[in-house]
């Protein structure tokens, strides 16, 4: 992704975001590992459940930093970073001993797996470093083999141009036809490489599945029918904002075509005729054509 290339130097040197920085305190927070599935079987990345993690994790990190100030008479300067700031989060977390970077590029905590959100407190304090944890993936390549688009060109090396999480969250505009075809039930993100990881085998949180609770994400039809006012009220403070309403609707339309979901035929027709966002129009027309070409009802 170009913005990663453009910020390479800044991400490797925290002094660019806090002059005089001498230490990085890395923090991690576990998010629910329970699958996030809508009533129609469509899926959303687990981290998107609930309030936007940028804000919730940031507040927790700010509280931790402020709590330390009274204990240090001389005070210190700091800056809290959560994902949106150019900091090499996983690299610093691994160097801090929070886990190791797995072959799927995720930080893996040996006790909690990889369903984690990261934050950093960059400070001008001189702090003793913690020891890193040795990599423990061994010969396992389950995450690489499980990727539906073979996006890993080598262990730890991801080609964003093949990654469904990139296409459904970061990309703006129309999706390539092969990406639309590969989406299946996914409408926001992709957790497959983490689902395959044996370090996550015991990470699933107990309780009612999202699809059977009020916590369930919208169905494809509900995404397609969602107006701007309802979007702001329901998702204005959520992680979905990264893709935006039209991005989610584009993904929902493409997923409907991939799964031949005839239940949203009317919504697809409306989007194909009246939408102005090129990505949504393209996905709706592609999906409608798929429904016309083959049997509806959802194939695999």
């Amino acid at each position: 992704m170009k913005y990663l290339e453009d910020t390479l130097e800044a991400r490797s040197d925290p002094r660019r975001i806090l002059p005089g920085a001498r230490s990085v305190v890395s923090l991690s927070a576990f998010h629910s590992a329970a699958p996030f599935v809508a009533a129609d079987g469509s899926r959303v990345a687990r981290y998107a459940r609930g309030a936007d993690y940028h804000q919730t994790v940031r507040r927790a990190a700010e509280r931790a930093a402020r709590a330390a100030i009274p204990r240090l008479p001389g005070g210190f300067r700091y800056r809290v970073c959560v994902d949106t700031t150019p900091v090499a989060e996983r690299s610093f977390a691994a160097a801090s001993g929070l886990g190791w970077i797995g072959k799927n590029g995720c930080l893996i905590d040996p006790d909690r797996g990889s369903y984690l959100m990261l934050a950093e407190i960059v400070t001008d304090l001189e702090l003793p470093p913690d020891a890193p944890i040795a990599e423990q993936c061994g010969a396992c390549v389950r995450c690489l083999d499980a990727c539906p688009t073979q996006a890993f060109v080598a262990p730890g090396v991801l080609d964003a141009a093949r990654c469904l999480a990139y296409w459904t969250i970061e990309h703006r505009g129309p999706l390539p036809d092969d990406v639309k075809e590969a989406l299946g039930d996914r409408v926001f993100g992709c957790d497959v490489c983490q689902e395959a990881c044996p370090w996550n085998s015991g990470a699933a949180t107990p309780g009612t599945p999202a699809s059977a609770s009020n916590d369930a994400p919208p169905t494809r039809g509900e995404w397609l029918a969602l107006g701007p006012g309802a979007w702001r009220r329901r998702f204005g403070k959520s992680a979905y904002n990264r893709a935006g309403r039209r991005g989610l609707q584009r993904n929902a339309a493409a997923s409907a075509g991939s799964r031949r979901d005839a239940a949203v035929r009317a919504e697809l027709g409306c989007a194909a005729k009246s939408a102005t966002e090129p990505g949504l129009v393209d996905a709706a027309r592609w999906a409608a054509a798929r429904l016309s070409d083959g049997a509806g009802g959802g194939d695999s």
Side-chain angles (χ1 to χ4, degrees):
M1 291 182 281
K2 190 174 187 303
Y3 76 86
L4 293 177
E5 298 174 358
D6 293 342
T7 60
L8 180 61
E9 290 187 10
R11 286 185 292 112
S12 63
D13 186 359
R15 291 171 297 184
R16 290 177 175 265
I17 61 171
L18 182 73
R22 303 173 77 182
S23 302
V24 175
V25 179
S26 294
L27 309 169
S28 66
F30 181 77
H31 66 76
S32 175
F36 203 23
V37 185
D40 64 352
S42 58
R43 291 177 172 267
V44 167
R46 289 160 169 81
Y47 79 84
R49 178 186 272 107
D52 186 356
Y53 72 95
H54 294 92
Q55 301 305 319
T56 57
V57 175
R58 179 179 296 279
R59 285 195 292 268
E62 289 279 2
R63 287 195 297 269
R66 288 196 298 268
I69 291 176
R71 304 181 183 184
L72 298 169
F76 60 91
R77 293 166 52 245
Y78 71 91
R79 181 173 176 181
V80 168
C81 307
V82 182
D83 199 16
T84 57
T85 310
V87 174
E89 292 190 309
R90 288 170 296 175
S91 296
F92 284 120
S96 300
L98 292 185
W100 70 91
I101 299 176
K103 293 177 182 177
N104 61 0
C106 295
L107 184 82
I108 301 175
D109 180 313
D111 297 318
R112 299 186 296 170
S114 65
Y115 292 121
L116 303 169
M117 296 173 289
L118 302 178
E120 300 76 42
I121 302 173
V122 180
T123 177
D124 60 357
L125 287 173
E126 182 73 41
L127 300 174
D130 290 302
I133 295 176
E135 183 270 324
Q136 299 178 45
C137 290
C140 179
V141 291
R142 294 183 196 179
C143 59
L144 310 185
D145 293 341
C147 179
T149 55
Q150 291 76 56
F152 295 99
V153 297
V157 182
L158 176 72
D159 180 358
R162 303 183 198 175
C163 179
L164 296 181
Y166 163 76
W167 287 109
T168 57
I169 299 174
E170 302 293 333
H171 179 72
R172 304 294 177 260
L175 300 174
D177 286 354
D178 61 332
V179 171
K180 295 199 260 322
E181 179 68 45
L183 281 184
D185 282 323
R186 302 170 193 86
V187 296
F188 183 85
C190 179
D191 286 332
V192 169
C193 65
Q194 296 190 85
E195 292 168 350
C197 179
W199 289 98
N200 286 326
S201 60
T205 53
T208 304
S211 57
S213 73
N214 293 330
D215 188 36
T219 64
R220 285 180 280 259
E222 289 169 339
W223 281 124
L224 288 165
L226 192 66
W231 167 269
R232 286 191 295 272
R233 288 190 296 273
R234 293 185 62 184
F235 304 117
K237 296 181 179 180
S238 74
Y240 294 128
N241 272 317
R242 184 66 179 176
R245 180 175 69 97
R246 289 307 201 189
L248 265 298
Q249 291 178 326
R250 173 203 63 190
N251 300 342
S255 174
S258 177
R259 298 295 292 171
R260 289 188 168 88
D261 183 359
V264 297
R265 191 186 297 271
E267 289 88 344
L268 290 171
C270 181
K273 293 177 182 178
S274 61
T276 58
E277 203 284 318
L280 173 55
V281 172
D282 172 76
R285 290 176 177 172
W286 178 85
R290 290 267 295 177
L291 289 175
S292 298
D293 291 345
D299 62 16
S300 57

